[in-house]
Amino acid sequence: MVLLSLFSPLLLFASKSKQRVPILFINLRPGASSGILLGAITLPGVMLAKMIQLTRAFSSNHIALEEIETWTMQFWSTSTCCLSVLTLLKNSMHESDVVSLACPQRLWRLRLDLGCKILYGVVCYSSLATIYPNVVHVALMLSWIVCHGLVASKLIQHLLCTFPACASIGEALLVTSGLVLYFGDMLGCTIAKVLGAFSSSDLVSFQYTMNRSEISPIVQGLLLGLLLCSVIFKHLHIWECILNTENSEAKKYFEIRRSMIFFALLGFILIVVVPSWMMFVHEFDAHPYLWVISFTFSEPLKRISLCVYWLSLICASILRFYNISRNSKIERILLRKYYHLMAVLMFLPALIFQPRFLNLAFGAALAVFLALEIIRVWRIWPLGQPVHQFMNAFTDHRDSELLIVSHFSLLLGCALPIWMSSGYNDRPLAPFAGILSLGIGDTMASVVGHKYGVLRWSKTGKKTIEGTAAGITSVLAACSILLPLIASTGYILTERWLSLLLAVTISGLLEAYTAQLDNAFIPLVFFSLLCL
C-alpha cells in the first residue's frame, strides 16, 4: 500500500510535467482527471481493511485462519495487479525518452525500478511465509499472484482499446483489478476442484478452502456465462459479416438470423454450460436453478412480497421518470438522483430483514443489466434499438454511445459492500456503505448543491461546500435512524460515533473533490473506513 501510494503520485507528476498521458491510453474519458492514485489504492485498501477486520475476529476466535489466508491472498493479488499496471504506464510514458537520457540517468532509473520490485517481492514473500510454512506452497502462491499482475497489464490495454473514451486511467485500473481478482477466484476454485479430483495433495487448495454459500457460484456463473456469450458471439458475428458481404438476398434476413444465433447461444450457455460449472465447483443439493426457486420459496411471504414490491417500484419509477426525461426541462443530473433514492427504497428494507435474499437479487439484477447492455451494444433485434433509446434518456457526460456505465456503477456501488460483508462482520453499518453514500449522501449533496450552493470548492469545479455539508449531515442523520433498526434485529452494535463521523466526512470530501466515477469509488472507500 505504501509503495502504491508513493509510486502513483510520482507517475501522476511525471505525466503532468510532460503535459500528456501515456501513449497506450490516449483515448480517455473527456473531462476526467487521470485518477491514478485513487485507482491504485482503492481496491488494495478494501482488502487491507477486511484483513484488519478479520484479524480482530480471529483474535476473538470467531473465524478460522483460512479466512485471513484468503483475504491475504486477495490483497497481494490486487496490489500486484495495480503495481503491474502502474509499471506499464511508467514504461509507456518514458519509452520515448530513454534514448535522450544520459547513461548514468538510465542506470539510476533501472536500479530504482529493480529495487522497488525486489522490495515488493520480499515483503510479499515474507507475508505469505508467515501463513504457509511450506516453501513449495509459498512459491505456488507467488506464481499465482504474478499471473494476476500479468493478466491485469494485458487486460487494461484491451479494455481501453475496445472501449475508448469510456473511462479514466483510475477507473480502468479499478475495473481491471476487480475483474482479474473476481474471475481469478473462479479459475482458482475450478483448478482446485480439478486437481483435487485426481490428487490427494492439499497443495492446490490454497486460498479456496474457505466455506462458500450457494449464492456465490450462482452469481459468478451467470456473469461468466454472459461474458463468454459475448466473446463467442463476437467471433461468430465476424464470420457472419464475411459470409454476407456478397449475398444481397441473405442480407435481408441477416438481423433476424443474427438475433436467433445470439439467443440460441445465450440459452445454451446459461442452461447447459453455466449450471454444469456451478455444480462442479459447489456441492448443490439440487440443480442450481431449482435451488434458487427453493431458496426463494423457503420464506414465501417475505421474499415473494419483496419481489412484488421491487417490481411495482421499478415499473412505476421507470415509466414516470422516462416520461419526465422526454417531456420535462428538469436537468438530467437531478433526474438521475431520483434513481439513487429509489435504490434506498428498494435495498434498505431488504438489507435489514432479508440480507441473503438481497445478495442473490443483486446477482440477478447485475446479470440482467449485463445482458441488456450486450443486447444494446450489439443491437440485437428486436430489443437492441429500444433498449439503446431508453438508456440514452438517463446518460450523462460520463457515459458514451459505446458503453453506458452509470447503471452498472450504481448497482455495484450498492452491492459490493453487501457482498464483501457476507460472513463475519463486526461493523453493522459496513454493508450499508453503498446505500448510504450513494442513495442518501450523494443525492442530497447534488440536490442541495445544485439548488442552493453558492460557495464552490474550486473555480473550475461544480461541487459546492453547501452540497458537501448537506451530504455529510444527511448520512449521519440516516445512521442515527438506522442503528436502532439494526439493533432491533438482534445485532450487537460496536459503532463509535467519532470514527463514524470521520468516515462519513472523508467520504463526503472525496465526493466533492474527485472527478472520477463517484458511484464506483466512494462506496468502496466508505466501506473500508467503516471496517476499520
Side-chain angles (χ1 to χ4, degrees):
M1 279 293 293
V2 174
L3 185 60
L4 292 174
S5 301
L6 293 176
F7 194 40
S8 301
L10 291 176
L11 183 63
L12 179 60
F13 176 77
S15 64
K16 287 184 177 180
S17 65
K18 296 177 182 295
Q19 295 299 317
R20 62 182 176 89
V21 294
I23 297 173
L24 290 174
F25 306 105
I26 55 175
N27 295 321
L28 303 178
R29 179 165 63 83
S33 58
S34 66
I36 294 176
L37 177 60
L38 192 59
I41 67 174
T42 297
L43 209 51
V46 172
M47 301 302 162
L48 184 60
K50 283 296 297 185
M51 288 170 56
I52 295 173
Q53 184 185 41
L54 293 177
T55 302
R56 295 195 303 264
F58 180 73
S59 62
S60 57
N61 297 322
H62 284 97
I63 63 169
L65 182 61
E66 286 78 6
E67 290 284 338
I68 300 179
E69 293 177 2
T70 299
W71 286 97
T72 302
M73 282 295 301
Q74 303 287 42
F75 168 75
W76 285 113
S77 298
T78 308
S79 301
T80 303
C81 289
C82 295
L83 188 62
S84 177
V85 172
L86 292 178
T87 303
L88 175 68
L89 290 169
K90 181 189 70 64
N91 292 338
S92 66
M93 183 185 301
H94 295 298
E95 62 183 2
S96 61
D97 301 331
V98 172
V99 179
S100 61
L101 290 176
C103 184
Q105 291 177 309
R106 292 201 300 268
L107 186 60
W108 178 84
R109 179 177 293 176
L110 290 175
R111 288 177 177 175
L112 180 62
D113 291 346
L114 183 61
C116 290
K117 293 176 182 177
I118 292 175
L119 176 61
Y120 180 83
V122 169
V123 175
C124 181
Y125 179 86
S126 302
S127 174
L128 295 177
T130 59
I131 300 177
Y132 307 108
N134 191 323
V135 177
V136 178
H137 210 160
V138 175
L140 287 175
M141 299 304 101
L142 286 175
S143 301
W144 181 254
I145 290 172
V146 170
C147 289
H148 279 72
L150 295 176
V151 173
S153 61
K154 296 295 183 182
L155 180 60
I156 192 170
Q157 298 179 65
H158 176 74
L159 289 178
L160 289 175
C161 290
T162 306
F163 304 104
C166 292
S168 67
I169 296 177
E171 294 163 359
L173 179 54
L174 180 67
V175 172
T176 299
S177 55
L179 287 175
V180 172
L181 191 69
Y182 192 69
F183 289 107
D185 179 76
M186 297 178 61
L187 180 61
C189 290
T190 307
I191 293 175
K193 284 289 185 178
V194 171
L195 296 181
F198 298 99
S199 173
S200 60
S201 173
D202 62 349
L203 289 177
V204 296
S205 60
F206 45 110
Q207 78 267 37
Y208 302 104
T209 56
M210 65 179 294
N211 294 324
R212 296 168 183 266
S213 68
E214 294 84 352
I215 296 175
S216 177
I218 288 176
V219 175
Q220 288 180 325
L222 288 175
L223 300 183
L224 176 64
L226 290 169
L227 293 177
L228 184 64
C229 176
S230 180
V231 172
I232 296 175
F233 182 75
K234 176 183 178 181
H235 293 87
L236 292 177
H237 177 64
I238 293 174
W239 284 107
E240 279 282 310
C241 293
I242 294 175
L243 295 175
N244 282 277
T245 51
E246 302 296 335
N247 193 340
S248 58
E249 184 66 25
K251 289 181 180 180
K252 181 178 179 180
Y253 305 100
F254 175 71
E255 290 298 326
I256 298 177
R257 185 171 67 250
R258 180 168 167 265
S259 65
M260 292 176 62
I261 292 174
F262 173 81
F263 288 114
L265 177 64
L266 180 64
F268 175 76
I269 290 177
L270 293 184
I271 296 175
V272 179
V273 178
V274 167
S276 301
W277 178 84
M278 294 176 186
M279 297 178 71
F280 178 74
V281 299
H282 191 91
E283 297 180 359
F284 284 90
D285 297 333
H287 190 279
Y289 294 153
L290 293 178
W291 182 91
V292 171
I293 296 174
S294 175
F295 175 73
T296 303
F297 283 93
S298 61
E299 297 183 31
L301 181 60
K302 294 180 180 180
R303 292 172 180 172
I304 299 301
S305 300
L306 193 59
C307 290
V308 172
Y309 168 70
W310 284 342
L311 290 175
S312 303
L313 188 61
I314 289 172
C315 293
S317 301
I318 286 178
L319 293 176
R320 175 63 177 168
F321 295 150
Y322 183 62
N323 291 331
I324 292 177
S325 67
R326 296 178 60 187
N327 304 320
S328 175
K329 295 182 179 180
I330 297 178
E331 292 199 24
R332 189 162 294 184
I333 185 174
L334 297 180
L335 183 64
R336 288 160 55 86
K337 298 308 173 184
Y338 291 143
Y339 279 96
H340 287 229
L341 291 176
M342 190 179 77
V344 176
L345 296 176
M346 290 181 62
F347 305 144
L348 196 59
L351 183 54
I352 296 175
F353 301 107
Q354 286 290 324
R356 288 195 68 210
F357 185 64
L358 182 61
N359 286 349
L360 181 62
F362 271 130
L366 184 59
V368 171
F369 278 11
L370 183 58
L372 290 177
E373 185 66 9
I374 293 173
I375 291 173
R376 187 196 69 84
V377 170
W378 286 108
R379 297 294 196 275
I380 302 298
W381 181 87
L383 301 176
Q385 191 60 31
V387 170
H388 176 71
Q389 293 176 352
F390 177 80
M391 291 294 185
N392 275 343
F394 303 100
T395 58
D396 66 0
H397 63 281
R398 292 170 296 191
D399 295 308
S400 67
E401 287 285 329
L402 185 60
L403 189 66
I404 299 177
V405 299
S406 299
H407 53 300
F408 282 108
S409 62
L410 177 59
L411 181 67
L412 285 174
C414 294
L416 285 176
I418 299 173
W419 284 340
M420 289 186 291
S421 298
S422 59
Y424 177 83
N425 178 42
D426 62 346
R427 296 294 185 261
L429 290 178
F432 296 86
I435 299 174
L436 291 173
S437 59
L438 298 181
I440 297 177
D442 185 38
T443 301
M444 291 301 297
S446 297
V447 173
V448 173
H450 181 79
K451 288 184 173 294
Y452 308 105
V454 176
L455 302 175
R456 299 188 182 276
W457 285 105
S458 64
K459 294 181 181 180
T460 57
K462 297 181 179 180
K463 305 294 179 67
T464 63
I465 297 177
E466 293 88 349
T468 302
I472 294 173
T473 305
S474 63
V475 172
L476 290 174
C479 291
S480 65
I481 300 173
L482 188 59
L483 285 173
L485 289 176
I486 298 175
S488 66
T489 62
Y491 203 106
I492 300 176
L493 300 180
T494 58
E495 291 287 352
R496 297 177 180 175
W497 279 100
L498 182 59
S499 60
L500 179 60
L501 175 62
L502 182 62
V504 173
T505 303
I506 293 176
S507 302
L509 293 176
L510 176 63
E511 191 276 335
Y513 274 101
T514 185
Q516 303 302 301
L517 189 62
D518 50 4
N519 288 0
F521 286 101
I522 295 175
L524 294 177
V525 173
F526 191 32
F527 172 79
S528 304
L529 296 172
L530 289 176
C531 286
L532 295 176

